[in-house]
Amino acid sequence: MCELKVLLLKDGERKTIMESVTKMVVVGGSIELYSILGEKETVAGSIKEVDFSKGETIIIGK
């Protein structure tokens, strides 16, 4: 299974928001993140990059 680490890029800083993310859903100006353990996190922003070779997604925060 492919799991991703999600990073938030805001004001030039990168911060890990969630690890082991298996599902991302864009809802308006937010992204809902779901982990392999069923945890849910909602982040305001837009997806900048998904890099499966690094196992990470970068979200630009609002």
Side-chain angles (χ1 to χ4, degrees), residues 9-56:
L9 179 61
K10 191 170 183 181
D11 300 327
E13 293 183 35
R14 292 167 55 126
K15 177 182 175 186
T16 301
I17 299 299
M18 184 181 274
E19 298 203 29
S20 301
V21 173
T22 56
K23 180 178 178 181
M24 293 182 281
V25 180
V26 176
V27 180
S30 296
I31 302 155
E32 294 176 350
L33 309 171
Y34 297 88
S35 78
I36 195 167
L37 299 175
E39 299 168 318
K40 178 184 173 187
E41 178 91 27
T42 302
V43 179
S46 58
I47 297 172
K48 177 182 183 209
E49 179 180 338
V50 178
D51 189 334
F52 289 102
S53 65
K54 290 183 180 178
E56 68 181 26

